Amino acid sequence: MVGARLGQYWLTLVVCSLLLLRTEGDSYVGITYVQNVAATGAVCLDGSPPAYHLDRGFGSGINNWLVHFEGGGWCHNVTSCLWRSRSPLGSSKQMDQQLPFSGILSNTQAYNPDFYNWNRIKIRYCDGSSFTGDVEAVNPATNLHFRGERIWNAVIQELLRKGMNNAKNAMLSGCSAGGLASILHCNSFKALLPKGTNVKCLSDAGYFIDVNDVSGAKQIEEYFSEIVDLHGSVKNFPRSCTSRMKPEKCFFPQNVVQPIQPPLFILNAAYDSWQIRNILVPDTADPHGYWGQCKDDIKKCSLSQLKTIQGFRLEFLNALSAVGKSPARGMFIDSCFSHCQTEFQGTWLMPGSPTISNTTVAKAVGDWFYDRAPVRMIDGPFSSSSICAFVHK
Protein backbone atom coordinates (compact mmCIF):
# COMPACT_ATOMS: atom_id res chain seq x y z
CA MET A 1 0.00 0.00 0.00
CA VAL A 2 2.83 2.40 0.87
CA GLY A 3 4.57 1.64 -2.43
CA ALA A 4 1.39 2.24 -4.41
CA ARG A 5 0.92 5.65 -2.83
CA LEU A 6 4.56 6.56 -3.49
CA GLY A 7 4.24 5.45 -7.11
CA GLN A 8 1.15 7.58 -7.70
CA TYR A 9 2.83 10.52 -5.99
CA TRP A 10 5.91 10.29 -8.17
CA LEU A 11 4.03 10.16 -11.46
CA THR A 12 2.03 13.20 -10.38
CA LEU A 13 5.27 14.92 -9.42
CA VAL A 14 6.83 14.23 -12.82
CA VAL A 15 3.81 15.67 -14.66
CA CYS A 16 3.73 18.74 -12.43
CA SER A 17 7.48 19.19 -12.78
CA LEU A 18 7.22 19.28 -16.56
CA LEU A 19 4.56 21.96 -16.29
CA LEU A 20 6.56 24.00 -13.79
CA LEU A 21 9.67 23.78 -15.91
CA ARG A 22 7.95 25.70 -18.69
CA THR A 23 9.04 29.14 -17.59
CA GLU A 24 10.67 32.18 -19.10
CA GLY A 25 13.99 31.38 -20.74
CA ASP A 26 13.28 27.71 -21.42
CA SER A 27 14.70 25.90 -24.38
CA TYR A 28 13.27 22.62 -25.63
CA VAL A 29 15.60 19.73 -26.26
CA GLY A 30 14.82 16.60 -28.26
CA ILE A 31 15.14 13.05 -27.02
CA THR A 32 17.95 10.67 -28.03
CA TYR A 33 17.56 6.91 -27.64
CA VAL A 34 20.63 4.86 -26.79
CA GLN A 35 21.36 2.60 -29.77
CA ASN A 36 22.41 -1.05 -29.94
CA VAL A 37 21.41 -1.97 -26.39
CA ALA A 38 20.65 -5.61 -27.19
CA ALA A 39 24.25 -6.69 -26.59
CA THR A 40 24.50 -5.08 -23.15
CA GLY A 41 20.90 -5.47 -22.00
CA ALA A 42 20.86 -1.84 -20.94
CA VAL A 43 17.10 -1.31 -21.10
CA CYS A 44 14.24 0.31 -19.19
CA LEU A 45 11.86 -1.66 -17.01
CA ASP A 46 9.73 -2.60 -20.02
CA GLY A 47 12.70 -3.53 -22.22
CA SER A 48 12.68 -0.32 -24.27
CA PRO A 49 15.99 1.52 -24.91
CA PRO A 50 17.10 4.16 -22.41
CA ALA A 51 17.07 7.80 -23.42
CA TYR A 52 18.58 11.19 -22.70
CA HIS A 53 18.34 14.79 -23.88
CA LEU A 54 21.53 16.56 -25.00
CA ASP A 55 21.87 20.30 -25.60
CA ARG A 56 25.30 20.93 -27.10
CA GLY A 57 27.75 23.35 -25.55
CA PHE A 58 29.17 26.33 -27.34
CA GLY A 59 31.89 28.96 -27.06
CA SER A 60 34.05 28.59 -23.98
CA GLY A 61 31.86 25.74 -22.71
CA ILE A 62 32.32 23.42 -25.68
CA ASN A 63 34.50 21.00 -23.67
CA ASN A 64 32.52 21.23 -20.44
CA TRP A 65 29.87 18.61 -19.61
CA LEU A 66 26.97 18.61 -17.17
CA VAL A 67 25.28 15.20 -16.83
CA HIS A 68 22.03 15.39 -14.86
CA PHE A 69 19.97 12.45 -13.60
CA GLU A 70 16.20 12.78 -13.75
CA GLY A 71 14.44 11.94 -10.47
CA GLY A 72 11.21 10.13 -9.76
CA GLY A 73 11.30 7.80 -6.74
CA TRP A 74 11.68 4.02 -6.93
CA CYS A 75 9.71 0.81 -7.39
CA HIS A 76 10.04 -1.81 -4.70
CA ASN A 77 8.04 -4.84 -5.86
CA VAL A 78 6.71 -6.43 -9.04
CA THR A 79 3.36 -4.68 -8.77
CA SER A 80 4.82 -1.18 -8.41
CA CYS A 81 7.43 -1.84 -11.13
CA LEU A 82 4.77 -3.10 -13.55
CA TRP A 83 2.74 0.03 -12.91
CA ARG A 84 5.85 2.11 -13.45
CA SER A 85 6.80 0.25 -16.66
CA ARG A 86 3.70 1.67 -18.32
CA SER A 87 4.72 5.25 -17.55
CA PRO A 88 7.57 7.60 -18.57
CA LEU A 89 9.38 6.46 -15.43
CA GLY A 90 9.71 2.92 -16.77
CA SER A 91 9.43 3.08 -20.54
CA SER A 92 11.04 5.31 -23.15
CA LYS A 93 7.99 4.60 -25.31
CA GLN A 94 6.00 6.82 -22.95
CA MET A 95 8.47 9.71 -22.74
CA ASP A 96 7.91 13.15 -24.24
CA GLN A 97 9.97 13.78 -27.35
CA GLN A 98 10.90 17.27 -26.17
CA LEU A 99 11.84 18.45 -22.68
CA PRO A 100 12.16 22.05 -21.50
CA PHE A 101 15.61 22.78 -20.07
CA SER A 102 15.50 25.24 -17.18
CA GLY A 103 17.56 26.19 -14.14
CA ILE A 104 20.95 24.49 -14.18
CA LEU A 105 20.09 23.11 -17.64
CA SER A 106 19.20 26.48 -19.18
CA ASN A 107 21.19 27.74 -22.18
CA THR A 108 20.55 31.38 -21.28
CA GLN A 109 23.37 33.20 -19.51
CA ALA A 110 21.06 35.44 -17.49
CA TYR A 111 19.33 32.41 -15.98
CA ASN A 112 22.34 30.10 -15.65
CA PRO A 113 25.51 32.20 -15.70
CA ASP A 114 28.07 29.49 -14.89
CA PHE A 115 26.82 26.51 -16.93
CA TYR A 116 24.67 27.95 -19.74
CA ASN A 117 27.13 27.15 -22.55
CA TRP A 118 28.17 23.70 -21.33
CA ASN A 119 27.07 20.48 -22.96
CA ARG A 120 23.99 19.79 -20.81
CA ILE A 121 22.46 16.31 -20.61
CA LYS A 122 19.43 15.01 -18.80
CA ILE A 123 19.41 11.22 -18.41
CA ARG A 124 15.83 9.97 -18.34
CA TYR A 125 14.94 7.78 -15.40
CA CYS A 126 13.31 4.50 -16.38
CA ASP A 127 14.69 1.81 -14.05
CA GLY A 128 13.27 2.57 -10.61
CA SER A 129 16.47 1.98 -8.59
CA SER A 130 18.49 5.21 -8.88
CA PHE A 131 20.45 3.49 -11.68
CA THR A 132 21.81 0.75 -9.39
CA GLY A 133 20.01 -2.42 -10.52
CA ASP A 134 21.54 -5.30 -12.47
CA VAL A 135 19.56 -8.54 -12.73
CA GLU A 136 20.23 -10.76 -15.73
CA ALA A 137 17.09 -12.90 -15.52
CA VAL A 138 13.82 -11.61 -17.00
CA ASN A 139 10.56 -13.17 -15.84
CA PRO A 140 8.56 -13.88 -19.02
CA ALA A 141 5.32 -13.35 -17.13
CA THR A 142 6.14 -9.72 -16.35
CA ASN A 143 8.92 -8.87 -18.85
CA LEU A 144 10.43 -6.59 -16.22
CA HIS A 145 14.09 -5.69 -16.64
CA PHE A 146 16.10 -4.45 -13.67
CA ARG A 147 19.09 -2.89 -15.41
CA GLY A 148 19.70 0.60 -13.97
CA GLU A 149 23.47 0.19 -13.64
CA ARG A 150 23.72 -0.93 -17.26
CA ILE A 151 21.69 2.09 -18.37
CA TRP A 152 24.13 4.37 -16.57
CA ASN A 153 27.14 2.79 -18.26
CA ALA A 154 25.51 2.71 -21.71
CA VAL A 155 24.61 6.41 -21.61
CA ILE A 156 28.06 7.47 -20.38
CA GLN A 157 29.81 5.38 -23.04
CA GLU A 158 27.67 7.03 -25.73
CA LEU A 159 28.41 10.50 -24.36
CA LEU A 160 32.13 9.73 -24.34
CA ARG A 161 31.88 8.85 -28.03
CA LYS A 162 30.03 12.12 -28.64
CA GLY A 163 32.86 14.25 -27.25
CA MET A 164 32.88 13.85 -23.48
CA ASN A 165 36.19 12.01 -23.85
CA ASN A 166 37.66 15.50 -24.40
CA ALA A 167 36.02 17.02 -21.32
CA LYS A 168 37.92 19.75 -19.52
CA ASN A 169 35.29 20.15 -16.79
CA ALA A 170 32.52 17.69 -15.92
CA MET A 171 29.81 17.65 -13.30
CA LEU A 172 27.41 14.85 -12.41
CA SER A 173 24.19 16.09 -10.86
CA GLY A 174 20.66 14.94 -10.25
CA CYS A 175 17.40 15.67 -8.48
CA SER A 176 15.79 13.48 -5.77
CA ALA A 177 16.30 9.80 -6.72
CA GLY A 178 18.63 11.26 -9.35
CA GLY A 179 20.41 13.21 -6.61
CA LEU A 180 20.98 9.94 -4.80
CA ALA A 181 22.27 8.47 -8.08
CA SER A 182 24.77 11.32 -8.42
CA ILE A 183 26.22 10.34 -5.03
CA LEU A 184 26.25 6.61 -5.70
CA HIS A 185 27.87 7.06 -9.14
CA CYS A 186 30.23 9.93 -8.37
CA ASN A 187 33.37 7.80 -8.11
CA SER A 188 32.58 5.79 -11.24
CA PHE A 189 31.87 9.00 -13.17
CA LYS A 190 35.38 10.21 -12.43
CA ALA A 191 36.84 6.79 -13.29
CA LEU A 192 35.11 6.76 -16.69
CA LEU A 193 36.39 10.20 -17.69
CA PRO A 194 39.86 11.04 -19.02
CA LYS A 195 42.60 11.59 -16.50
CA GLY A 196 43.02 15.31 -15.92
CA THR A 197 39.31 16.18 -16.26
CA ASN A 198 38.08 18.42 -13.46
CA VAL A 199 35.23 16.25 -12.11
CA LYS A 200 32.75 17.23 -9.42
CA CYS A 201 29.34 15.96 -8.28
CA LEU A 202 26.17 17.71 -7.11
CA SER A 203 23.28 16.08 -5.26
CA ASP A 204 20.00 18.04 -5.25
CA ALA A 205 17.39 16.77 -2.76
CA GLY A 206 19.08 13.37 -2.78
CA TYR A 207 20.31 13.26 0.81
CA PHE A 208 17.67 10.90 2.20
CA ILE A 209 18.18 10.19 5.89
CA ASP A 210 17.69 7.07 7.97
CA VAL A 211 15.17 8.01 10.68
CA ASN A 212 12.10 6.54 12.33
CA ASP A 213 8.71 7.86 11.32
CA VAL A 214 6.39 9.53 13.85
CA SER A 215 5.03 6.13 14.91
CA GLY A 216 8.53 4.88 15.67
CA ALA A 217 8.66 2.51 12.68
CA LYS A 218 11.54 2.08 10.22
CA GLN A 219 9.32 2.36 7.16
CA ILE A 220 11.90 3.93 4.84
CA GLU A 221 14.56 1.35 5.71
CA GLU A 222 12.15 -1.50 4.98
CA TYR A 223 11.17 0.17 1.71
CA PHE A 224 14.81 0.59 0.65
CA SER A 225 15.48 -3.05 1.57
CA GLU A 226 12.79 -4.19 -0.88
CA ILE A 227 14.22 -1.98 -3.64
CA VAL A 228 17.76 -3.26 -3.15
CA ASP A 229 16.64 -6.91 -3.11
CA LEU A 230 14.38 -6.64 -6.15
CA HIS A 231 16.86 -4.78 -8.35
CA GLY A 232 20.00 -6.66 -7.30
CA SER A 233 21.61 -3.37 -6.32
CA VAL A 234 24.01 -4.58 -3.65
CA LYS A 235 26.76 -5.53 -6.11
CA ASN A 236 26.90 -1.90 -7.22
CA PHE A 237 27.18 -0.39 -3.74
CA PRO A 238 30.59 0.55 -2.35
CA ARG A 239 32.28 -2.32 -0.56
CA SER A 240 33.28 0.12 2.16
CA CYS A 241 29.59 0.26 3.10
CA THR A 242 28.32 -3.27 2.42
CA SER A 243 31.16 -4.80 4.43
CA ARG A 244 29.97 -2.90 7.50
CA MET A 245 26.18 -2.88 7.37
CA LYS A 246 23.02 -4.23 5.76
CA PRO A 247 22.77 -3.47 2.01
CA GLU A 248 19.71 -1.24 2.38
CA LYS A 249 21.70 1.02 4.69
CA CYS A 250 23.96 1.76 1.70
CA PHE A 251 21.04 3.48 -0.03
CA PHE A 252 21.33 6.27 2.55
CA PRO A 253 23.94 8.89 1.57
CA GLN A 254 25.14 9.33 5.15
CA ASN A 255 26.61 5.81 4.94
CA VAL A 256 28.36 6.11 1.57
CA VAL A 257 29.40 9.73 1.28
CA GLN A 258 32.75 9.62 3.09
CA PRO A 259 34.76 7.57 0.52
CA ILE A 260 33.64 9.69 -2.44
CA GLN A 261 36.76 11.03 -4.10
CA PRO A 262 35.63 13.94 -6.34
CA PRO A 263 34.50 17.19 -4.75
CA LEU A 264 30.84 16.93 -3.75
CA PHE A 265 28.09 19.51 -3.23
CA ILE A 266 24.96 18.79 -1.18
CA LEU A 267 21.95 20.96 -2.01
CA ASN A 268 18.90 20.22 0.11
CA ALA A 269 16.07 21.78 2.02
CA ALA A 270 16.40 21.04 5.72
CA TYR A 271 12.62 20.61 5.66
CA ASP A 272 12.63 18.45 2.55
CA SER A 273 8.94 18.16 1.66
CA TRP A 274 9.24 14.64 0.21
CA GLN A 275 11.09 13.32 3.23
CA ILE A 276 8.67 14.87 5.70
CA ARG A 277 5.69 13.45 3.79
CA ASN A 278 7.12 10.00 3.13
CA ILE A 279 9.87 9.31 5.67
CA LEU A 280 8.87 11.27 8.76
CA VAL A 281 5.08 11.07 8.31
CA PRO A 282 4.13 8.39 5.77
CA ASP A 283 0.40 7.72 5.46
CA THR A 284 0.81 4.44 7.36
CA ALA A 285 2.03 6.39 10.39
CA ASP A 286 -0.88 8.85 10.22
CA PRO A 287 -4.00 6.72 9.53
CA HIS A 288 -6.39 9.42 10.75
CA GLY A 289 -4.88 12.22 8.64
CA TYR A 290 -3.87 14.33 11.63
CA TRP A 291 -0.84 15.59 9.65
CA GLY A 292 -2.72 16.31 6.41
CA GLN A 293 -2.72 20.11 6.47
CA CYS A 294 0.77 20.30 7.95
CA LYS A 295 2.26 18.09 5.24
CA ASP A 296 0.63 20.30 2.61
CA ASP A 297 1.86 23.58 4.08
CA ILE A 298 4.39 23.81 6.90
CA LYS A 299 2.86 27.11 8.01
CA LYS A 300 -0.32 25.21 8.92
CA CYS A 301 1.42 22.90 11.38
CA SER A 302 0.40 22.90 15.04
CA LEU A 303 2.98 23.74 17.66
CA SER A 304 3.51 20.06 18.47
CA GLN A 305 3.86 19.18 14.79
CA LEU A 306 6.29 22.02 14.23
CA LYS A 307 8.34 20.75 17.16
CA THR A 308 8.50 17.32 15.50
CA ILE A 309 9.53 18.87 12.19
CA GLN A 310 12.20 20.97 13.88
CA GLY A 311 13.46 17.70 15.37
CA PHE A 312 13.64 16.25 11.85
CA ARG A 313 15.78 19.21 10.78
CA LEU A 314 18.21 18.49 13.61
CA GLU A 315 18.39 14.81 12.61
CA PHE A 316 19.00 15.87 9.01
CA LEU A 317 21.87 18.16 10.04
CA ASN A 318 23.31 15.40 12.20
CA ALA A 319 23.23 12.97 9.23
CA LEU A 320 24.83 15.67 7.11
CA SER A 321 27.90 15.66 9.36
CA ALA A 322 29.05 12.55 7.47
CA VAL A 323 29.87 14.84 4.53
CA GLY A 324 32.84 16.15 6.50
CA LYS A 325 34.43 19.59 6.60
CA SER A 326 36.78 19.51 3.62
CA PRO A 327 36.62 22.72 1.53
CA ALA A 328 35.96 20.43 -1.46
CA ARG A 329 32.65 19.44 0.14
CA GLY A 330 30.19 22.25 -0.45
CA MET A 331 26.63 22.58 0.80
CA PHE A 332 23.60 24.82 0.61
CA ILE A 333 20.94 23.81 3.13
CA ASP A 334 18.04 26.25 3.08
CA SER A 335 14.96 26.25 5.29
CA CYS A 336 12.40 25.99 2.53
CA PHE A 337 9.67 23.36 2.52
CA SER A 338 10.61 22.08 -0.92
CA HIS A 339 12.11 19.24 -2.92
CA CYS A 340 14.54 19.74 -5.84
CA GLN A 341 15.88 23.19 -6.64
CA THR A 342 18.36 22.97 -9.54
CA GLU A 343 15.91 22.13 -12.36
CA PHE A 344 13.40 24.89 -11.61
CA GLN A 345 14.22 28.44 -12.62
CA GLY A 346 12.32 29.86 -9.67
CA THR A 347 14.53 28.11 -7.14
CA TRP A 348 17.77 28.18 -9.16
CA LEU A 349 18.03 31.86 -10.12
CA MET A 350 15.18 34.34 -10.32
CA PRO A 351 14.05 37.40 -8.35
CA GLY A 352 12.65 35.99 -5.13
CA SER A 353 14.64 32.74 -5.29
CA PRO A 354 15.69 31.19 -1.96
CA THR A 355 18.89 32.71 -0.61
CA ILE A 356 21.24 32.24 2.31
CA SER A 357 23.23 35.36 3.19
CA ASN A 358 21.93 36.92 -0.05
CA THR A 359 23.43 34.07 -2.07
CA THR A 360 21.25 32.15 -4.54
CA VAL A 361 21.55 28.44 -5.25
CA ALA A 362 23.03 29.21 -8.69
CA LYS A 363 25.76 31.45 -7.26
CA ALA A 364 26.59 29.00 -4.46
CA VAL A 365 27.03 26.09 -6.89
CA GLY A 366 29.04 28.22 -9.32
CA ASP A 367 31.32 29.57 -6.58
CA TRP A 368 31.97 26.01 -5.37
CA PHE A 369 32.58 24.50 -8.80
CA TYR A 370 34.99 27.20 -9.93
CA ASP A 371 36.69 27.47 -6.52
CA ARG A 372 35.79 31.13 -6.24
CA ALA A 373 34.97 30.67 -2.58
CA PRO A 374 34.33 27.85 -0.11
CA VAL A 375 30.59 27.25 0.20
CA ARG A 376 29.16 25.84 3.39
CA MET A 377 25.81 27.51 3.92
CA ILE A 378 23.20 26.29 6.39
CA ASP A 379 20.14 28.46 6.98
CA GLY A 380 18.58 28.95 10.39
CA PRO A 381 15.44 27.10 11.45
CA PHE A 382 12.08 27.82 9.83
CA SER A 383 9.95 30.57 11.32
CA SER A 384 6.69 32.20 10.27
CA SER A 385 8.72 34.99 8.64
CA SER A 386 10.77 32.67 6.44
CA ILE A 387 10.47 33.54 2.76
CA CYS A 388 10.68 30.90 0.05
CA ALA A 389 8.67 32.45 -2.75
CA PHE A 390 9.38 29.85 -5.44
CA VAL A 391 9.26 26.45 -3.81
CA HIS A 392 8.53 23.23 -5.66
CA LYS A 393 6.68 20.91 -3.32
Side-chain angles (χ1 to χ4, degrees):
M1 190 58 134
V2 173
R5 290 195 186 102
L6 288 178
Q8 291 167 1
Y9 170 80
W10 276 111
L11 185 57
T12 301
L13 178 61
V14 168
V15 172
C16 292
S17 297
L18 292 176
L19 293 174
L20 286 169
L21 276 167
R22 300 178 187 209
T23 59
E24 185 179 359
D26 284 351
S27 59
Y28 287 78
V29 180
I31 197 167
T32 299
Y33 300 98
V34 179
Q35 302 299 315
N36 304 316
V37 294
T40 61
V43 293
C44 299
L45 283 169
D46 71 336
S48 58
Y52 60 92
H53 299 251
L54 165 61
D55 196 11
R56 286 285 187 176
F58 55 93
S60 61
I62 198 165
N63 288 321
N64 297 335
W65 293 74
L66 170 64
V67 180
H68 186 84
F69 287 115
E70 182 179 31
W74 311 273
C75 60
H76 67 120
N77 57 30
V78 169
T79 300
S80 63
C81 289
L82 274 174
W83 180 88
R84 192 182 185 94
S85 71
R86 303 181 184 112
S87 79
L89 290 174
S91 172
S92 61
K93 297 175 185 177
Q94 307 297 324
M95 295 174 183
D96 286 344
Q97 296 295 298
Q98 300 275 330
L99 271 191
F101 270 25
S102 188
I104 197 171
L105 296 172
S106 173
N107 66 358
T108 303
Q109 186 172 10
Y111 297 116
N112 187 25
D114 285 307
F115 309 105
Y116 74 99
N117 63 352
W118 284 35
N119 296 281
R120 286 153 289 107
I121 299 96
K122 187 168 189 175
I123 303 178
R124 301 303 298 271
Y125 185 29
C126 66
D127 71 276
S129 72
S130 286
F131 299 87
T132 64
D134 190 359
V135 176
E136 181 66 33
V138 178
N139 187 329
T142 64
N143 195 42
L144 286 173
H145 299 70
F146 303 110
R147 306 281 179 76
E149 178 74 15
R150 299 190 197 187
I151 290 172
W152 154 248
N153 282 304
V155 172
I156 292 301
Q157 291 301 327
E158 185 159 311
L159 293 176
L160 287 169
R161 292 192 294 271
K162 289 189 172 183
M164 198 166 69
N165 60 333
N166 295 315
K168 177 182 177 182
N169 293 295
M171 182 160 68
L172 182 67
S173 66
C175 153
S176 192
L180 173 58
S182 69
I183 291 174
L184 294 173
H185 290 289
C186 186
N187 280 342
S188 64
F189 185 57
K190 180 176 177 63
L192 290 165
L193 286 166
K195 186 177 181 180
T197 304
N198 179 31
V199 178
K200 300 189 179 185
C201 302
L202 162 66
S203 172
D204 176 12
Y207 206 90
F208 301 95
I209 65 171
D210 187 6
V211 295
N212 294 345
D213 64 32
V214 292
S215 74
K218 285 275 190 183
Q219 186 269 145
I220 190 63
E221 188 174 311
E222 295 171 5
Y223 183 63
F224 279 179
S225 176
E226 292 175 354
I227 295 166
V228 170
D229 288 345
L230 180 67
H231 291 266
S233 300
V234 64
K235 70 183 77 170
N236 297 312
F237 289 158
R239 179 65 181 160
S240 59
C241 180
T242 57
S243 64
R244 296 183 294 111
M245 56 187 68
K246 297 183 294 185
E248 59 268 24
K249 290 280 192 179
C250 302
F251 222 49
F252 292 103
Q254 65 202 76
N255 298 324
V256 296
V257 72
Q258 288 182 335
I260 292 175
Q261 296 171 6
L264 175 67
F265 194 98
I266 304 296
L267 167 63
N268 229 101
Y271 306 95
D272 186 290
S273 56
W274 190 92
Q275 295 198 53
I276 287 174
R277 289 168 176 155
N278 296 284
I279 295 180
L280 181 64
V281 196
D283 289 348
T284 51
D286 183 35
H288 303 295
Y290 172 66
W291 281 81
Q293 283 192 326
C294 177
K295 290 199 296 181
D296 185 60
D297 184 348
I298 196 172
K299 293 183 179 180
K300 295 180 180 178
C301 296
S302 68
L303 289 177
S304 63
Q305 289 171 334
L306 193 56
K307 182 178 179 181
T308 299
I309 287 176
Q310 297 290 22
F312 174 86
R313 173 182 177 271
L314 293 178
E315 291 199 74
F316 180 86
L317 295 180
N318 182 59
L320 199 64
S321 65
V323 173
K325 297 183 178 181
S326 166
R329 301 285 177 100
M331 62 179 64
F332 187 101
I333 312 298
D334 59 36
S335 289
C336 298
F337 184 60
S338 64
H339 186 67
C340 290
Q341 300 179 73
T342 53
E343 296 179 6
F344 305 100
Q345 199 62 56
T347 45
W348 177 248
L349 181 61
M350 284 282 280
S353 294
T355 60
I356 302 177
S357 300
N358 296 317
T359 300
T360 62
V361 174
K363 185 177 189 306
V365 173
D367 284 349
W368 162 78
F369 189 91
Y370 286 107
D371 298 318
R372 294 191 293 247
V375 180
R376 196 175 188 87
M377 297 182 171
I378 301 177
D379 206 358
F382 167 87
S383 69
S384 59
S385 61
S386 296
I387 299 175
C388 290
F390 293 97
V391 295
H392 176 59
K393 300 179 181 179

